[in-house]
């Protein structure tokens, strides 16, 4: 394989060979016109390296490779068992390379190394492994109709799948999409986010090592407006799976309509976390903290609106503030004690700061944080203190709009009915959480809340075995779990006439 790569060394001393090309047909190639994107280390604001980006021409080549692979007996006729073995091998290789891959996530995204290693990398390998087990279990039904006829269904791959992923969990998002797509026998053109282009390219080498034939997986970096839109509007792509902002999802939906592509969309959220008077306060505070402050608050299902019942409101505020002070240590992501690294980019950092001003202008009560931090490492980096606004009302923009940072709003409610009304007062419907020791109330709320996920007495406690996705403007379709297979297989019905003419 012709290798386009550079040698990189991370602050933790790890060195690796970083591919910089476009990965098409199991080969590394340059972009057709030399288009490159530069990736920045958010901890130091220094350039890490540049990688090739895909133009429309390159997307044509990647899609053609994926189409050829889809119809090539080397992939098309491979048994589910053998596809599963390849996926399992890939999971194994990810585990073997987890320290390098976690290092790349940290340097490119800014997330703490311990989180990348023990969180992202475990999720990435286990998701691929989980779907490896499904590869030989994707089958149809026999349907009895009349005494003369019956029908059977077969599950076929959807075809060439374009997958567009965000920067907050670069490898895990790739795994959520590659796992089910490959288990179902599709071929893929994956576009990582331009802010975090590196880890997926290292993964590409592992995909070759795992034995996937040329063209089955193609990985092409580039900006959304160039590479992403070329993929979303391509006439020979059968499906687009997207994770990112709701605005981009709307654009992708329009582009995907050119040839009526199958779509799954996983977008933003402003997920509520409701705490009732009878909740275990310590548990509620700890989960509420994790639910919004993990991953620098850059989580689509982060529980960013905390609704607390009046009687315990003041007590909760104090305890929550104490938890943030004690646990949310902002620092160098390679330091073991760090809970919160830098925001991924200057744009995200500025966005978080702008919402501090918006909250103050709306006269919400800023009870913690919001200041930039300049005393870490070389004095640079997109570090910001975690932010807590209290006494927030549903009319305020900070109650309605997704910030995507370590930014939480806390509001008060009186009755269960008020809590449900406030929780559902959103254009989004991705995650939600309820804290109560009242069993029937917990399930009543779970039923009435408008969200794809409800956590009872926890938050953001995701699992690859459990379906994930949104209602309202948080998305279309489900990923993960067995339900994730539906997004990547198409049902063909075969009608059989057994009536004897004799
Ligand atoms: P985004 O939606 O712009 O980017 C996500 C992906 O879509 C990237 O790969 C990007 O290159 C691609 N993309 C962008 N424009 C495109 C286009 N016109 N056609 C095709 N592909 C396109 O998100 P962002 O700018 O990285 O972040 C902005 C906001 O999105 C955040 O503040 C947050 O609210 C939200 N977000 C959500 C998630 C999530 O997991 N749901 C993840 C990241 C960001």
């Amino acid at each position: 394989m012709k290798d386009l790569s550079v040698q990189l060394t991370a602050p933790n001393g790890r060195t690796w060979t970083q591919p910089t090309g476009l990965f098409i047909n199991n080969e590394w190639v340059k972009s057709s016109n030399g288009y490159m994107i530069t990736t920045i280390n958010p901890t130091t604001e220094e350039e890490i390296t540049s990688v090739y980006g895909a133009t429309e021409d390159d997307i044509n080549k990647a899609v053609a490779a994926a189409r050829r692979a889809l119809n090539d007996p080397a992939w098309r006729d491979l048994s589910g068992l053998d596809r599963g073995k390849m996926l399992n091998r890939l999971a194994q290789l990810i585990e073997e390379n987890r320290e390098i891959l976690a290092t790349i996530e940290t340097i490119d995204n800014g997330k703490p190394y311990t989180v990348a290693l023990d969180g992202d990398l475990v999720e990435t390998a286990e998701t691929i492994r989980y779907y490896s087990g499904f590869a030989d279990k994707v089958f149809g039904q026999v349907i009895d109709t009349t005494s003369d006829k019956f029908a059977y269904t077969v599950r076929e791959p959807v075809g060439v799948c374009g997958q567009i992923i965000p920067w907050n969990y670069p490898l895990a998002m790739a795994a959520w999409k590659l796992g089910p797509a490959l288990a179902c026998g599709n071929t893929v053109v994956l576009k990582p986010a331009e802010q975090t282009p590196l880890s997926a390219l290292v993964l590409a080498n592992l995909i070759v090592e795992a034995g996937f034939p040329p063209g089955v997986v193609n990985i092409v970096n580039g900006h959304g407006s160039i590479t992403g839109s070329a993929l979303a509007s391509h006439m020979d792509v059968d499906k687009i799976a997207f994770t990112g902002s709701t605005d981009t999802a709307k654009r992708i939906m329009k582009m995907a309509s050119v040839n009526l592509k199958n779509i799954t969309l996983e977008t933003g959220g402003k997920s509520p976390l409701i705490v009732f008077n009878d909740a275990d306060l310590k548990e509620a505070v700890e989960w509420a903290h994790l639910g919004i402050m993990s991953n620098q608050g850059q989580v689509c299902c982060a529980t960013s609106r905390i609704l607390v019942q009046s009687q315990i409101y003041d007590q909760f505020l104090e305890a929550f503030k104490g938890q943030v002070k004690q646990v949310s240590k902002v620092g160098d992501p390679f330091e073991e004690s760090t809970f919160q690294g830098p925001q991924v980019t200057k744009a995200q950092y500025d966005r978080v700061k702008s919402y501090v001003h918006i909250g103050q202008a709306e006269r919400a009560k800023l009870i913690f944080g919001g200041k930039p931090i300049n005393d870490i490492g070389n004095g640079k980096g997109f570090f910001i203190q975690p932010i807590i606004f209290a006494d927030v009302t549903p009319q305020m923009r900070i109650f309605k709009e997704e910030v995507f940072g370590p930014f939480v709003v806390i509001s008060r409610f009186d009755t269960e009915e008020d809590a449900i009304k406030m929780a559902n007062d959103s254009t989004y419907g991705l995650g939600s959480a309820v804290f109560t020791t009242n069993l029937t109330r917990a399930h009543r709320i779970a039923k009435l809340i408008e969200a794809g996920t409800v956590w009872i007495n926890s938050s953001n406690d995701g699992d690859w075995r459990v379906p994930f996705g949104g209602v309202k403007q948080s998305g279309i379709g489900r990923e993960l779990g067995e339900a994730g297979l539906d997004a990547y297989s198409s049902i063909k019905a075969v009608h059989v006439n057994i009536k004897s003419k004799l």
Side-chain angles (χ1 to χ4, degrees):
M1 188 188 309
K2 192 172 67 182
D3 202 12
L4 294 171
S5 62
V6 291
Q7 289 299 314
L8 293 178
T9 304
N12 63 356
R14 289 195 179 273
T15 59
W16 73 97
T17 303
Q18 174 62 54
T20 54
L22 304 172
F23 179 71
I24 298 176
N25 213 31
N26 280 9
E27 285 177 358
W28 293 106
V29 293
K30 296 180 180 176
S31 72
S32 56
N33 68 359
Y35 164 40
M36 297 201 90
I37 57 172
T38 298
T39 185
I40 303 290
N41 177 347
T43 304
T44 59
E45 300 182 41
E46 285 161 5
E47 188 177 316
I48 306 171
T49 191
S50 294
V51 299
Y52 284 98
T55 62
E56 203 178 323
D57 262 5
D58 302 315
I59 288 294
N60 288 338
K61 288 176 196 153
V63 172
R67 178 63 59 190
R68 274 195 309 277
L70 187 74
N71 297 319
D72 187 332
W75 180 245
R76 188 192 61 199
D77 298 343
L78 201 64
S79 71
L81 182 69
D82 288 333
R83 279 203 309 274
K85 283 182 185 166
M86 276 180 198
L87 277 164
N88 199 29
R89 213 148 47 225
L90 179 59
Q92 184 70 34
L93 288 166
I94 292 167
E95 266 167 4
E96 285 167 16
N97 289 276
R98 64 186 179 278
E99 281 158 354
I100 284 299
L101 290 167
T103 300
I104 299 171
E105 295 297 58
T106 295
I107 197 171
D108 214 10
N109 168 281
K111 65 177 66 205
Y113 177 71
T114 49
V115 172
L117 188 68
D118 301 333
D120 294 42
L121 264 298
V122 172
E123 182 174 343
T124 302
E126 293 303 350
T127 302
I128 298 287
R129 181 169 290 125
Y130 174 77
Y131 282 108
S132 76
F134 268 121
D136 61 354
K137 298 170 195 70
V138 181
F139 44 71
Q141 296 174 305
V142 176
I143 304 161
D144 275 325
T145 51
T146 66
S147 58
D148 294 335
K149 294 176 187 170
F150 73 96
Y152 63 92
T153 60
V154 279
R155 280 185 172 263
E156 298 185 333
V158 174
V160 174
C161 301
Q163 304 184 325
I164 300 177
I165 59 170
W167 42 260
N168 51 349
Y169 294 95
L171 281 171
M173 289 297 102
W176 283 28
K177 291 189 167 35
L178 289 172
L182 298 174
C184 294
N186 296 278
T187 58
V188 171
V189 179
L190 174 86
K191 191 200 89 62
E194 58 270 32
Q195 298 85 348
T196 51
L198 300 182
S199 54
L201 299 181
V202 176
L203 180 70
N205 278 335
L206 304 183
I207 286 169
V208 178
E209 210 179 322
F212 288 92
V216 171
V217 179
N218 305 275
I219 300 181
V220 289
N221 275 298
H223 293 93
S225 56
I226 302 169
T227 314
S229 62
L231 191 55
S233 55
H234 201 288
M235 292 301 285
D236 202 29
V237 169
D238 299 301
K239 179 198 172 81
I240 285 285
F242 166 81
T243 299
S245 64
T246 298
D247 283 349
T248 305
K250 289 178 186 172
R251 255 176 260 141
I252 284 183
M253 235 175 142
K254 270 193 201 141
M255 288 188 271
S257 72
V258 292
N259 63 336
L260 221 63
K261 286 182 188 67
N262 173 318
I263 49 172
T264 37
L265 306 171
E266 198 262 282
T267 62
K270 190 80 179 176
S271 301
L273 180 146
I274 309 171
V275 188
F276 284 96
N277 289 337
D278 65 3
D280 178 326
L281 195 69
K282 187 168 174 291
E283 283 281 309
V285 164
E286 285 178 13
W287 281 107
H289 171 262
L290 285 176
I292 177 60
M293 298 304 176
S294 310
N295 209 43
Q296 294 66 247
Q298 299 165 158
V299 185
C300 49
C301 53
T303 36
S304 50
R305 287 186 293 149
I306 302 181
L307 315 177
V308 186
Q309 204 161 15
S310 306
Q311 211 177 311
I312 55 157
Y313 184 78
D314 292 333
Q315 208 185 337
F316 181 90
L317 280 193
E318 270 318 295
F320 186 75
K321 205 162 94 174
Q323 182 76 5
V324 171
K325 261 190 199 158
Q326 195 193 331
V327 182
S328 277
K329 183 180 176 296
V330 185
D332 185 317
F334 280 108
E335 266 177 31
E336 220 178 313
S337 60
T338 294
F339 177 86
Q340 183 185 312
Q343 302 312 117
V344 68
T345 54
K346 172 94 171 40
Q348 284 303 121
Y349 168 84
D350 287 342
R351 181 179 168 88
V352 177
K353 276 202 312 185
S354 77
Y355 274 95
V356 175
H357 298 311
I358 292 169
Q360 286 173 317
E362 290 178 314
R363 302 208 177 284
K365 206 155 118 197
L366 180 64
I367 64 165
F368 189 87
K371 297 206 179 69
I373 299 174
N374 303 314
D375 60 354
I376 298 169
N378 63 353
K380 296 208 175 255
F382 310 125
F383 295 98
I384 195 156
Q385 288 178 330
I387 297 132
I388 313 172
F389 273 102
D391 299 353
V392 175
T393 58
Q395 298 72 34
M396 295 180 184
R397 279 181 63 191
I398 58 169
F399 185 90
K400 297 177 199 283
E401 296 173 18
E402 185 182 44
V403 179
F404 223 67
F407 186 109
V408 71
V409 300
I410 307 185
S411 312
R412 181 196 300 263
F413 70 88
D414 290 318
T415 64
E416 185 177 315
E417 208 183 341
D418 291 344
I420 294 164
K421 196 163 163 238
M422 281 169 84
N424 288 342
D425 185 7
S426 174
T427 54
Y428 295 115
L430 195 54
S432 62
V434 54
F435 283 83
T436 177
T437 48
N438 179 332
L439 189 67
T440 51
R441 170 153 59 201
H443 294 294
R444 207 161 45 238
I445 299 268
K447 195 169 173 185
L448 292 175
I449 215 148
E450 295 164 358
T453 295
V454 185
W455 287 285
I456 296 177
N457 293 327
S458 73
S459 175
N460 277 266
D461 201 12
D463 194 298
W464 48 88
R465 290 158 288 216
V466 183
F468 182 82
V471 298
K472 294 157 93 176
Q473 291 191 36
S474 286
I476 296 177
R478 291 293 174 269
E479 295 188 291
L480 299 184
E482 193 175 351
L485 298 169
D486 294 343
Y488 287 100
S489 59
S490 155
I491 294 176
K492 179 184 274 174
V494 182
H495 291 255
V496 184
N497 182 357
I498 52 172
K499 188 174 181 182
S500 170
K501 293 258 194 269
L502 298 175

